[in-house]
């Protein structure tokens, strides 16, 4: 094209190149400027791309322009303006697009531009002016958008003989926002019967069907949605969520993993996949500030239970426990030959029942332990998190860490505002106290006796048994536990 001396052939080549360049983001602006220059060459007016009279005088004469008119696919002047106007509209250059649409009297697009430019009053003036010349489905729908009169949508559908789906899609969206999901599905069925290749309409229908628990229809709608646009991660996530609700686990997992490919930063998708790996739970913890969701205790407890059992089975299989305890005890006795028998027995009884593991636990248990540690550091005031941590450490045979978690669980309950007046918190504190004393007795260490006793006595002092049965039962039980604790540790004092 650069070597051609004919104006029409050269301009056609430039136009073809502009069409191709417009599809690329980096060259779209240059393509529109090139098309603007081609349009300006059709006129004798001074424009931005034709800024001097000399450039007008140097343009090709009419006979050169018409020489190959039947051999090239060059658009007419008005078609070229229309094409450029729609490209401006697609690129969100609304003011330039509006000028061309008004010049070409494309009133539907004029209304669209005014609406996109946030000028509803100007749009309404154009709509009412055009309706004087006759009703059209687009103008009635635009007037309904501007005036919020829903009967105009029905009127637009009626005069189009059921062939203008946009009015039904808009009406369906209004019904969805009001919670009228049955009507929403009805209007969407009308719209999709005329124009089925609208993925957003299928997605909205799927949401409405989920609200009224029409699960099969919802899955069908979301499937049609992802068939037309596979990158709608929300649709994949909803397919997986429905299959999970219907307990179709094998079908839910592929949909959720596909959703994660497109919505890897969505806490909702990660929430559905939480039971799969501890890595997803770590990612969900990263997004906690965005979602403001509580920690999923049940799933976390289940994950900790499974991995701790795996670790316990691995330790038992290699007989680590039987080979680790004896050497440590023997070394401690031989290195302290000056100790009396009573001191040695006391030292052995202090660590009785503690499982000493020589090798580290398996990888899943390490991942869960890292996750639990991170959660307790992030949310140290949640008693349920410390409860899960204590159960995990107990299953791993780390009874000293279990007791530490139980103490922190009890303190977390006490840190709640006015806990001594809340019946549910009293029950939580009672449960935490029972588990704490149980762990203390199981560990049998004197060094922890005083701290647990002091913590329990302080809590008893804050209780008022006269407030009700729950308070009186807790106070009586804690007093009995203190007495039993004193009796158990009296011989060691």
């Amino acid at each position: 094209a650069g070597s051609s001396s004919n104006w029409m052939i050269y301009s056609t080549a430039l136009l073809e190149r502009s069409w191709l360049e417009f599809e690329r983001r980096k060259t779209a602006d240059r393509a529109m400027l090139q098309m603007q220059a081609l349009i300006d060459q059709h006129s004798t007016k001074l424009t931005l791309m034709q800024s001097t009279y000399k450039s007008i005088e140097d343009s090709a004469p009419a006979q050169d322009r018409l020489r190959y008119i039947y051999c090239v696919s060059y658009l007419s002047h008005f078609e070229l303006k229309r094409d450029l106007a729609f490209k401006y509209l697609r690129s969100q250059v609304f003011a330039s697009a509006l000028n061309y649409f008004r010049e070409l009297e494309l009133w539907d697009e004029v209304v669209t531009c005014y609406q996109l430019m946030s000028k509803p009053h100007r749009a309404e003036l154009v709509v009412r002016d055009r309706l004087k010349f006759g009703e059209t489905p687009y103008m009635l729908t635009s007037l309904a958008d501007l005036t919020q009169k829903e009967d105009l949508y029905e009127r637009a559908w009626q005069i189009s003989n059921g062939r203008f789906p946009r009015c039904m899609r808009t009406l369906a969206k209004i019904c969805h926002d009001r919670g009228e999901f049955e009507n929403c599905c009805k209007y969407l069925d009308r719209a999709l019967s005329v124009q089925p290749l609208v993925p957003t309409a299928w997605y909205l229908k799927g949401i409405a069907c989920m609200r009224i628990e029409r699960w099969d229809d919802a899955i069908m709608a979301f499937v049609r949605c992802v068939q037309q646009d596979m990158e709608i991660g929300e649709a994949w996530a909803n397919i997986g969520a429905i299959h999970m609700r219907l307990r179709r686990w094998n079908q839910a997992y592929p949909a959720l993993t596909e959703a994660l490919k497109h919505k890897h930063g969505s806490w909702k998708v990660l929430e559905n996949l939480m039971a799969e790996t501890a890595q997803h739970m770590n990612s969900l913890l990263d997004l906690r500030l965005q979602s403001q969701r509580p920690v999923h205790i049940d799933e976390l407890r289940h994950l900790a239970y499974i991995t701790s059992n795996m670790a316990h089975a691995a330790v038992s299989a290699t007989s680590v426990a039987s080979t680790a305890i004896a050497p440590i005890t023997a070394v401690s006795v031989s290195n302290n030959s000056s100790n009396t028998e009573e001191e040695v027995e006391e030292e052995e009884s202090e660590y009785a029942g503690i499982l000493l593991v020589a090798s580290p636990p398996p990888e899943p248990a390490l991942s869960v332990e890292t996750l639990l540690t991170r959660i307790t550091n992030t949310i140290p005031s949640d008693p349920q998190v410390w409860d899960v941590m204590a159960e995990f450490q107990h299953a791993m045979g780390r009874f000293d860490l279990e007791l530490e978690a139980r103490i922190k669980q009890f303190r977390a309950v006490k840190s709640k505002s006015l806990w001594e007046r809340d019946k549910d918190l009293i029950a939580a504190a009672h449960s935490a106290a029972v588990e704490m004393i149980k762990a203390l007795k199981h560990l049998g260490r004197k060094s922890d006796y005083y701290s647990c006793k002091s913590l329990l006595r302080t809590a008893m002092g804050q209780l008022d048994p006269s407030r009700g049965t729950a308070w009186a039962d807790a106070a009586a039980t804690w007093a009995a536990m203190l007495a039993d604790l004193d009796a158990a540790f009296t011989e060691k004092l």
Side-chain angles (χ1 to χ4, degrees), residues 138-425:
Y138 185 89
M139 288 298 174
L140 285 173
T141 302
S142 299
L143 185 60
D145 293 338
L146 296 167
T147 61
Q148 305 297 319
K149 294 182 179 179
E150 297 179 15
D151 57 316
L152 294 175
Y153 292 116
E154 296 283 0
R155 176 63 180 164
W157 180 255
Q158 181 181 356
I159 67 172
S160 69
N161 295 322
R163 306 301 298 175
F164 189 68
R166 180 178 168 254
C167 58
M168 289 293 101
R169 289 197 300 266
T170 307
L171 197 55
K173 182 63 170 62
I174 293 173
C175 291
H176 176 271
D177 294 340
R178 284 204 303 252
E180 301 174 2
F181 302 113
E182 290 286 356
N183 290 334
C184 176
C185 292
K186 179 182 69 174
Y187 293 133
L188 284 173
D189 287 338
R190 292 181 186 177
L192 291 169
S193 64
V194 178
Q195 191 178 12
L197 298 180
V198 183
T200 53
W202 286 111
Y203 179 79
L204 184 62
K205 181 183 177 182
I207 294 294
C209 290
M210 285 182 67
R211 296 291 188 181
I212 56 179
E213 299 186 357
R214 287 165 46 182
W215 306 117
D216 292 335
D217 291 339
I219 289 179
M220 186 274 294
F222 289 127
V223 168
R224 292 293 297 272
C225 175
V226 297
Q227 284 175 346
Q228 297 173 24
D229 187 353
M230 294 189 64
E231 295 186 358
I232 301 180
E234 292 85 353
W236 286 110
N238 288 331
I239 292 173
I242 294 172
H243 283 309
M244 288 178 66
R245 184 179 181 86
L246 299 178
R247 307 187 70 80
R248 302 171 185 168
W249 311 114
N250 292 335
Q251 299 176 17
Y253 183 74
L256 291 173
T257 53
E258 188 68 27
L260 195 62
K261 293 179 184 178
H262 306 290
K263 303 293 292 183
H264 52 83
S266 172
W267 60 269
K268 295 180 181 179
V269 177
L270 291 170
E271 183 177 274
N272 287 333
L273 278 168
M274 184 191 307
E276 298 298 329
T277 60
Q279 180 180 358
H280 290 156
M281 297 185 72
N282 271 302
S283 301
L284 191 62
L285 191 63
D286 292 334
L287 299 172
R288 183 173 177 269
L289 294 179
Q290 299 179 21
S291 65
Q292 297 297 324
R293 299 277 288 179
V295 177
H296 298 75
I297 296 298
D298 293 337
E299 291 82 357
L300 187 63
R301 193 186 303 276
H302 184 67
L303 187 62
Y305 174 78
I306 292 175
T307 53
S308 60
N309 281 337
M310 290 171 56
H312 185 73
V315 171
S316 299
T318 55
S319 302
V320 173
S322 60
T323 61
I325 295 178
I328 292 177
T329 305
V331 169
S332 62
V333 174
S334 61
N335 290 341
N336 296 277
S337 55
S338 61
N339 292 350
T340 63
E341 291 184 2
E342 291 79 10
E343 290 174 343
V344 172
E345 290 177 358
E346 182 178 345
E347 183 176 354
E348 290 179 352
S349 64
E350 183 174 347
Y351 294 96
I354 300 178
L355 179 62
L356 300 177
V357 182
S359 60
E363 180 62 28
L366 288 175
S367 300
V368 172
E369 184 177 15
T370 302
L371 173 65
L372 287 171
T373 303
R374 186 180 173 204
I375 293 177
T376 53
N377 291 334
T378 305
I379 319 170
S381 61
D382 192 337
Q384 293 183 330
V385 174
W386 288 112
D387 184 37
V388 176
M389 173 66 90
E391 291 179 358
F392 177 81
Q393 298 295 355
H394 179 84
M396 295 296 294
R398 302 166 181 164
F399 302 118
D400 53 338
L401 297 179
E402 178 200 5
L403 177 60
E404 180 181 348
R406 290 300 181 189
I407 293 174
K408 291 182 178 180
Q409 178 190 358
F410 189 75
R411 287 174 176 168
V413 177
K414 285 185 58 184
S415 67
K416 304 293 183 182
S417 177
L418 300 178
W419 70 275
E420 67 275 9
R421 300 183 184 180
D422 191 308
K423 186 176 181 180
D424 294 333
L425 290 178

Side-chain angles (χ1 to χ4, degrees), residues 44-61:
T44 58
K45 298 179 180 179
L46 292 177
T47 62
L48 180 64
M49 306 304 296
Q50 187 174 260
S51 58
T52 63
Y53 286 107
K54 187 177 184 303
S55 60
I56 299 175
E57 294 173 358
D58 293 342
S59 60

